[in-house]
């Protein structure tokens, strides 16, 4: 199955957008997940709902709010442009931002569930040996949560590959700049001769998603074996 130069460009852009969306959103996702898993404070339920809001909102609504905030005349967008010369609207960086926002709740949920399974006594034991809070988190908590972190990263990456509504609303459908796999497939379905490339790209999207899920399963099993000292399949 040979791809045209335009299709190769779309594939490369999609992988770049998904990769950077995960890389940038991972640190705040870990922080938010830890707060939701361990902290107790007034308004926690509301905060939790706000974090997961992109899962239930129409993606077009998320893209519209991003456009209002990060667009050329938005409060954040104009600040970034005037002070740093940075613009994300109608650029691939904006597509990565949209993908990151849509995948953020999936990453947070996976990491949070992993944090919640950790026995607090292990962290307490590390503290009694003289480790500070950051050292405990970096050497005990985060390594034990690694399976959840991997799962969250893969889910967010796959979500980024498939993001459509927020992306097209926020950064439009610009060839070579913001036209990712879903947008390219949509574009090809609108022209009479686009059935064949649309099918090729759809099959590629399926293959990438399956590969991501397979890689996630392998990495999670390896991380679990390293942490727990056993094979989830029962092989010691």
């Amino acid at each position: 199955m040979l791809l045209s130069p335009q299709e190769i460009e779309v594939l490369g852009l999609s992988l770049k957008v998904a990769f950077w969306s995960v890389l940038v959103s991972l640190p705040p996702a870990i922080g938010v997940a830890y707060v939701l898993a361990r902290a107790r404070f007034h308004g926690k339920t509301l905060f939790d709902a706000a974090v997961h809001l992109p899962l239930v909102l129409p993606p077009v609504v998320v893209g519209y709010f991003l456009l209002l905030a990060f667009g050329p005349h938005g409060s954040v967008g104009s600040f970034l442009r005037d002070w740093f010369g940075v613009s994300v609207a109608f650029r691939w960086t904006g597509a990565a931002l949209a993908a990151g926002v849509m995948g953020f709740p999936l990453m947070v949920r996976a990491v949070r569930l992993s944090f919640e399974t950790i026995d607090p006594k292990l962290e307490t034991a590390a503290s009694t040996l003289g480790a500070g809070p950051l050292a405990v988190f970096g050497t005990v908590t985060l390594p034990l949560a690694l399976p959840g972190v991997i799962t969250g990263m893969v889910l967010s990456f796959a979500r980024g590959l498939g993001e459509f509504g927020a992306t097209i609303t926020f950064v439009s459908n610009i060839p070579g700049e913001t036209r990712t796999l879903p947008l390219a497939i949509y574009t090809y379905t609108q022209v009479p001769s686009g059935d064949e490339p649309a099918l090729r790209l759809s099959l590629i999207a399926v293959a990438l998603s399956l590969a991501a899920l397979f890689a996630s399963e392998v990495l999670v099993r390896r991380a679990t074996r390293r942490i727990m000292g056993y094979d989830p399949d029962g092989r010691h």
Side-chain angles (χ1 to χ4, degrees):
M1 181 172 59
L2 297 178
L3 300 178
S4 68
Q6 292 80 10
E7 292 166 352
I8 294 175
E9 180 182 65
V10 165
L11 179 59
L13 178 62
S14 299
L15 293 173
K16 181 170 72 170
V17 165
F19 171 80
W20 281 102
S21 71
V22 172
L23 188 65
V24 173
S25 60
L26 181 59
I30 291 176
V32 170
Y34 187 79
V35 169
L36 291 175
R38 297 297 176 83
R40 300 291 182 268
F41 56 91
H42 293 293
K44 180 179 177 179
T45 302
L46 182 60
F47 178 63
D48 190 9
V51 169
H52 291 85
L53 197 58
L55 288 179
V56 295
L57 278 177
V60 173
V61 174
V62 177
Y64 178 65
F65 285 140
L66 288 174
L67 184 60
L68 290 179
F70 290 90
H73 304 292
S75 56
V76 181
S78 58
F79 173 79
L80 292 176
R81 183 193 64 232
D82 295 341
W83 287 89
F84 302 100
V86 175
S87 176
V88 296
F90 310 111
R91 298 191 61 202
W92 74 267
T93 49
L97 175 61
V101 169
M102 295 303 298
F104 189 76
L106 296 174
M107 190 184 299
V108 168
R109 185 168 182 82
V111 179
R112 175 188 180 179
L113 291 174
S114 196
F115 280 142
E116 291 176 342
T117 62
I118 298 173
D119 188 350
K121 294 179 181 178
L122 298 173
E123 297 167 315
T124 303
S127 298
T128 58
L129 294 175
L134 290 179
V136 171
F137 181 80
T139 60
V140 178
T141 309
L142 190 57
L144 290 176
L146 187 58
V149 173
I150 294 172
T151 300
M153 291 174 62
V154 172
L155 289 175
S156 181
F157 182 83
R159 184 67 181 85
L161 284 176
E163 168 50 36
F164 177 82
T167 302
I168 198 171
T169 305
F170 179 37
V171 295
S172 190
N173 185 6
I174 305 172
E177 187 66 40
T178 65
R179 182 172 291 175
T180 55
L181 269 172
L183 275 65
I185 293 170
Y186 172 78
T187 301
Y188 282 127
T189 61
Q190 305 303 304
V191 296
S193 59
D195 288 346
E196 185 176 341
L199 178 59
R200 282 199 300 269
L201 292 179
S202 297
L203 293 176
I204 290 174
V206 171
L208 287 174
S209 299
L210 288 175
L213 293 173
F214 177 78
S216 171
E217 184 67 17
V218 172
L219 291 173
V220 166
R221 287 177 180 272
R222 289 182 178 177
T224 302
R225 285 200 299 269
R226 174 174 293 184
I227 293 170
M228 306 302 294
Y230 72 91
D231 191 328
D233 290 327
R235 298 187 301 271
H236 297 276

